[in-house]
Amino acid sequence: MTRAVDHGSAQVVGDRLHRAAPPNAWLHVSRAAGNAALGAVHQAAGPLSAQRAPKLDPAKVATAAQQAHASADAAQALSMLRWLTGLPWPMGALVQLQLMAGVQVGVDSSGNPVQAHVFPGQITEVAMVVAGVHGSEQSGVEVAERLLKQLMTTKPYFTVVIVPKLFPGNVDSRAAWEADLARKQSGIAVGKYQQLRDKAGDIGRSSAGQEDPNRQFPDLGKDLDLDRPVDAKGRLIEPSNLALLGLINAFKPSRLVSIHAVKNFTQAGIFADPHPSVRNSQLAQDSDALAIAMAKEAEKRGVHVAGNKRGTAWSSLYPGQDPKKSAEQIKRENAKGRSLGQWGPSQGMTVITVEVGEQYRSNSAVNDPDRAAELEAEAGVIREIFLGPPQATPTPTPAPTPAVPVQPMLVAAAAAGVGNVAATDLAQRFMRYRRGMDGGP
């Protein structure tokens, strides 16, 4: 991520924590591998940066740059705080509680806070989970929320960063519409819900006056320029996506799952980005295998994954993505901008997209008694397979944990509603202490 400012003592603290961390603390897949994996698509589709960029208001560029820098700093501070969970009990446990409860890392276009939750894992390698990219996809947000609850009592294999509502204002506006519909027409059929949703204009899908939020990423292999935070087509990136890009830069995840929802059940499934029909690379093959493994397990648990089926065969491609035509399809998609699924692998990430069947939550107006179980199962598949240990390799020795059992204490503290203030104060005092040591303010 391109930066043009000196962060003074905060950077010194970061450097010292980086040196103090174990050698494997910053594991991530190399960017070179991702760039090589996407070379074929980049050639076939053509670089978007070559297109004429729109003229931008300098004042708006300056505001976006301030937001980009603020989000980058917040994400970097959050990344440093995770190492404090290793402090002796109870200090480390209090910091861990704060990270699990959520920390603001940015805002959306309306100023609503974007929250990230961090769960230390058995290894320091990071996996990221994102939902609420499209605020209308309420079921995807619920899957992320259910995953949060599961991780409160089950330590993941990867260290996990979860953003359950990337565009919180959009998510909340759609949630309000869904709640109002449930009050007026409880127990309706799915078909009726679809009619009402389409008539209302799919409220919450994107911010007013903005492009598709999943087409606002830099071009392949490009970092975000914090002083001119534009996407591959030269448009200013929304603040929510700036917060996500800041997190990706700070935590360097090796894998990311983006939870969405599709408007029917026949196209629901778990898919690989980049899809391997256009790239014969190890990254593509690994993504393909991971997506299919997740989809097969999801089907066993009653999750809709018809989009992964081609007769009796399994595929990680979205329905309609014929391998012989996928390059042309990607070229058409590129006219809208780069998606997270395209950009992420060029940064060395395995990117998986979960498409939940239909958009409604388990407490919606729709009469679907199996909905809660399905969404819980979807969250379980993400936790056990995507965030779990590799199936084909031995599980490494877990990182040392305090003698006092931390997880039960955290759950009890969270239930009692205490600990967040203490953890925040602890983190602030620690940062002031370190700045004093470094001669900073």
Side-chain angles (χ1 to χ4, degrees):
M1 184 172 292
T2 306
R3 303 192 69 111
V5 296
D6 179 14
H7 295 287
S9 59
Q11 184 62 51
V12 174
V13 174
D15 291 342
R16 290 191 176 184
L17 284 173
H18 189 286
R19 290 195 297 268
N24 65 343
W26 302 88
L27 282 174
H28 60 91
V29 181
S30 71
R31 291 183 178 181
N35 286 331
L38 291 188
V41 162
H42 203 192
Q43 236 178 0
L48 295 181
S49 56
Q51 302 176 7
R52 179 173 295 179
K55 291 184 178 180
L56 300 175
D57 181 345
K60 292 182 178 179
V61 173
T63 298
Q66 290 176 348
Q67 293 169 329
H69 279 286
S71 291
D73 288 340
Q76 200 65 47
L78 182 60
S79 179
M80 290 190 293
L81 278 176
R82 64 177 157 155
W83 301 115
L84 302 187
T85 60
L87 291 174
W89 189 90
M91 291 185 292
L94 287 174
V95 174
Q96 183 171 335
L97 175 60
Q98 177 65 60
L99 297 182
M100 292 166 63
V103 176
Q104 181 176 337
V105 292
V107 296
D108 66 9
S109 298
S110 300
N112 300 295
V114 176
Q115 297 274 344
H117 306 254
V118 181
F119 294 81
Q122 298 177 42
I123 64 173
T124 55
E125 188 174 351
V126 175
M128 189 172 289
V129 180
V130 182
V133 175
H134 297 123
S136 56
E137 297 166 0
Q138 295 284 300
S139 55
V141 174
E142 182 173 344
V143 169
E145 292 170 345
R146 288 176 176 273
L147 177 61
L148 280 174
K149 292 181 180 179
Q150 291 182 14
L151 292 178
M152 286 289 181
T153 56
T154 304
K155 189 171 187 176
Y157 176 75
F158 284 89
T159 291
V160 181
V161 179
I162 303 182
V163 183
K165 295 182 181 181
L166 184 59
F167 285 76
N170 296 344
V171 171
D172 292 346
S173 67
R174 179 52 174 263
W177 181 86
E178 297 273 354
D180 184 62
L181 177 62
R183 285 191 295 268
K184 295 176 179 177
Q185 302 200 40
S186 181
I188 63 176
V190 173
K192 179 65 173 177
Y193 167 82
Q194 292 171 333
Q195 292 174 4
L196 295 171
R197 173 196 62 205
D198 294 343
K199 183 178 179 180
D202 204 14
I203 293 169
R205 177 173 174 81
S206 59
S207 306
Q210 294 287 347
E211 301 294 331
D212 185 332
N214 197 32
R215 294 296 184 273
Q216 296 181 12
F217 291 86
D219 215 339
L220 305 184
K222 301 291 186 180
D223 285 335
L224 175 68
D225 183 348
L226 295 181
D227 292 322
R228 188 176 174 80
V230 297
D231 65 10
K233 297 196 73 174
R235 305 169 300 203
L236 288 175
I237 299 174
E238 286 189 74
S240 287
N241 278 329
L242 294 178
L244 175 59
L245 288 165
L247 285 169
I248 291 172
N249 181 67
F251 282 89
K252 302 291 190 299
S254 63
R255 55 176 57 185
L256 183 150
V257 64
S258 186
I259 311 175
H260 291 260
V262 67
K263 289 183 178 180
N264 57 60
F265 292 108
T266 60
Q267 294 185 344
I270 301 174
F271 307 102
D273 290 318
H275 51 77
S277 60
V278 278
R279 276 163 239 101
N280 186 21
S281 67
Q282 191 63 50
L283 179 64
Q285 293 172 15
D286 291 346
S287 300
D288 175 61
L290 180 58
I292 291 176
M294 293 172 66
K296 287 182 176 180
E297 182 60 30
E299 184 183 54
K300 293 178 183 178
R301 303 186 186 194
V303 176
H304 289 90
V305 291
N308 288 109
K309 306 297 282 293
R310 306 291 187 271
T312 58
W314 289 83
S315 173
S316 71
L317 304 182
Y318 280 89
Q321 286 185 326
D322 187 322
K324 297 179 182 179
K325 300 179 180 179
S326 55
E328 180 64 28
Q329 178 161 342
I330 288 179
K331 187 175 181 178
R332 291 196 303 269
E333 286 293 320
N334 285 349
K336 305 174 185 177
R338 295 294 187 194
S339 68
L340 177 58
Q342 289 179 325
W343 177 80
S346 75
Q347 304 300 303
M349 287 186 291
T350 294
V351 180
I352 300 295
T353 301
V354 171
E355 290 283 2
V356 181
E358 259 302 347
Q359 298 177 326
Y360 59 88
R361 285 177 170 264
S362 59
N363 62 349
S364 73
V366 178
N367 180 21
D368 186 350
D370 299 324
R371 189 59 162 176
E374 179 190 2
L375 300 184
E376 184 74 11
E378 190 97 74
V381 169
I382 295 173
R383 176 176 58 82
E384 294 175 26
I385 298 181
F386 185 82
L387 303 177
Q391 301 299 307
T393 58
T395 302
T397 303
T401 56
V404 178
V406 174
Q407 289 290 348
M409 187 283 296
L410 293 177
V411 174
V418 301
N420 287 346
V421 174
T424 302
D425 178 68
L426 171 65
Q428 290 173 346
R429 286 189 286 113
F430 178 82
M431 294 300 286
R432 286 197 297 269
Y433 170 71
R434 292 306 297 265
R435 290 191 184 108
M437 290 180 60
D438 298 325

